[in-house]
Amino acid sequence: MKKLINDPQAVVAESVEGFVAAHADLVVSSGDEEKLFVSRAGGAMSGKVGLVSGGGSGHEPLHAGFVGLGMLDAAVPGAVFTSPTPDPIVAATVAADGGAGVLHIVKNYTGDVLNFETAAELAELEDVTVTSVIVDDDVAVQDSLYTAGRRGVAGTVLVEKIAGAAAERGDDLETVAAIATRVNENVRSMGVALTACTVPHAGKPSFDLAEDEIEIGIGIHGEPGRERIPAASADEITERLLTAVADDLQVASGDRLVLLVNGMGGTPASELYIVYRQARALLEQRGASVERSLVGNYVTSLEMQGASVTVLRLDDELLSLYDAPVHTAALRWGA
């Protein structure tokens, strides 16, 4: 294993320390390794719904990279590929509360769901009103080693962006939660792995994949997907991903869409744009219109080579909220 780390057990703490130092104009850290979280510089905004998300580290820039104007108010990084415990989630929730309640945006993994549920109950005891939305956009498999139901993957970014804009414009907690739910109901994703990743404290690849094999429908922790097939061209792989996503979402002529091509951490931008090129062409063949696009590393799996394709169906309100100003370390426009 060759990685730019010191102690494998200190990866998250040292990474967060560096992240906060690099983006001190945007974020601050709790400074407590037992209750580690990142929140917006300047603290909670009075009267505004707070947004909190989190999960295992190793998926950067998710979630800390999306803390800031127009997105999250706090993010809780657990150990690599391991859910944070309830205590730091509670601390982040209290820090994000401006008196209008807090929305938890939770990817559908068993540990995340259970720990965020416990944290919500504990935060209620501290007079913080909490509502949760579960993101389950992955069409690859119905159940996995980590979940009951579909997994939450790159569509989480779009849920956080649009719900964050709703909170920023002053919507109440019920409305923000309803918008987050609407995004989740209209977004689908599927990914592919060309190589496995290596969790620092494990010191070896998380699964075995031959040089001439790829895994279709991989999870962001290296969970198995739909099938393992011989390596194929970018267009062939993209067609498999996009067809599964578009069929599940029932993309039809006239649909207005966001197309997100997400890198898994080890794939160069040039290859992601090749995937985007084919995905967009296939959507346009269905008569849909790609109104907005994102291409890059947003929800990664350490250094895994691979990509995922995410499609969100838009309406006028969702498009307006997507376009609303955002200023975070990993996403910025209009601000």
Side-chain angles (χ1 to χ4, degrees):
M1 179 180 73
K2 289 188 284 188
K3 290 180 176 290
L4 287 171
I5 64 174
N6 298 307
D7 178 356
Q9 303 301 322
V11 167
V12 174
E14 292 182 353
S15 178
V16 169
E17 182 181 354
F19 174 78
V20 171
H23 303 288
D25 58 323
L26 298 175
V27 297
V28 295
S29 168
S30 61
D32 182 349
E33 287 193 24
E34 298 300 315
K35 297 180 180 180
L36 185 63
F37 66 89
V38 173
S39 58
R40 286 169 69 162
M45 295 178 58
S46 178
K48 175 190 164 305
V49 170
L51 266 66
V52 176
S53 192
S57 296
H59 307 302
E60 291 75 20
L62 194 78
H63 292 274
F66 301 119
V67 173
L69 172 72
M71 284 190 80
L72 298 178
D73 293 277
V76 190
V80 175
F81 292 0
T82 303
S83 171
T85 59
D87 284 351
I89 301 172
V90 173
T93 302
V94 171
D97 181 36
V102 173
L103 177 66
H104 284 172
I105 298 176
V106 187
K107 302 188 302 302
N108 190 33
Y109 296 96
T110 301
D112 288 351
V113 172
L114 292 175
N115 287 331
F116 270 88
E117 283 180 353
T118 300
E121 293 171 0
L122 294 172
E124 295 273 3
L125 296 176
E126 300 196 34
D127 295 325
V128 180
T129 302
V130 180
T131 297
S132 298
V133 170
I134 308 298
V135 182
D136 57 357
D137 57 307
D138 187 7
V139 306
V141 292
Q142 181 63 34
D143 297 289
S144 75
L145 297 173
Y146 292 77
T147 65
R150 292 182 168 186
R151 304 174 292 209
V153 288
T156 309
V157 176
L158 301 178
V159 175
E160 292 176 354
K161 170 63 189 79
I162 292 173
E168 206 73 51
R169 75 179 178 184
D171 290 1
D172 63 19
L173 181 58
E174 181 180 359
T175 303
V176 175
I179 287 170
T181 299
R182 195 158 102 230
V183 176
N184 184 59
E185 290 171 345
N186 284 280
V187 68
R188 303 288 190 277
S189 302
M190 189 167 171
V192 60
L194 310 184
T195 66
C197 60
T198 299
V199 176
H201 61 260
K204 60 182 181 179
S206 54
F207 58 94
D208 296 321
L209 195 59
E211 186 63 31
D212 61 349
E213 290 180 322
I214 60 175
E215 182 89 15
I216 297 289
I218 197 72
I220 58 173
H221 307 92
E223 311 99 304
R226 283 190 176 182
E227 57 183 332
R228 187 166 293 190
I229 64 171
S233 70
D235 282 358
E236 291 172 313
I237 294 169
T238 303
E239 185 169 4
R240 278 179 176 264
L241 301 180
L242 191 280
T243 298
V245 167
D247 285 353
D248 196 278
L249 190 57
Q250 299 181 337
V251 172
S253 179
D255 279 351
R256 303 156 66 200
L257 308 172
V258 173
L259 173 57
L260 162 59
V261 173
N262 172 65
M264 301 304 291
T267 303
S270 57
E271 296 177 23
L272 297 179
Y273 281 109
I274 291 172
V275 172
Y276 174 87
R277 161 188 164 274
Q278 175 71 345
R280 179 164 186 152
L282 292 169
L283 289 169
E284 290 175 345
Q285 286 174 18
R286 292 176 178 241
S289 172
V290 177
E291 304 258 327
R292 299 292 184 270
S293 305
L294 278 177
V295 181
N297 288 318
Y298 296 100
V299 183
T300 61
S301 185
L302 295 170
E303 80 281 22
M304 180 186 287
Q305 292 181 27
S308 61
V309 173
T310 297
V311 176
L312 167 66
R313 181 186 290 112
L314 292 165
D315 56 35
D316 287 343
E317 183 180 34
L318 295 186
L319 178 58
S320 175
L321 291 169
Y322 179 89
D323 284 343
V326 59
H327 186 184
T328 69
L331 208 63
R332 181 180 181 181
W333 57 71

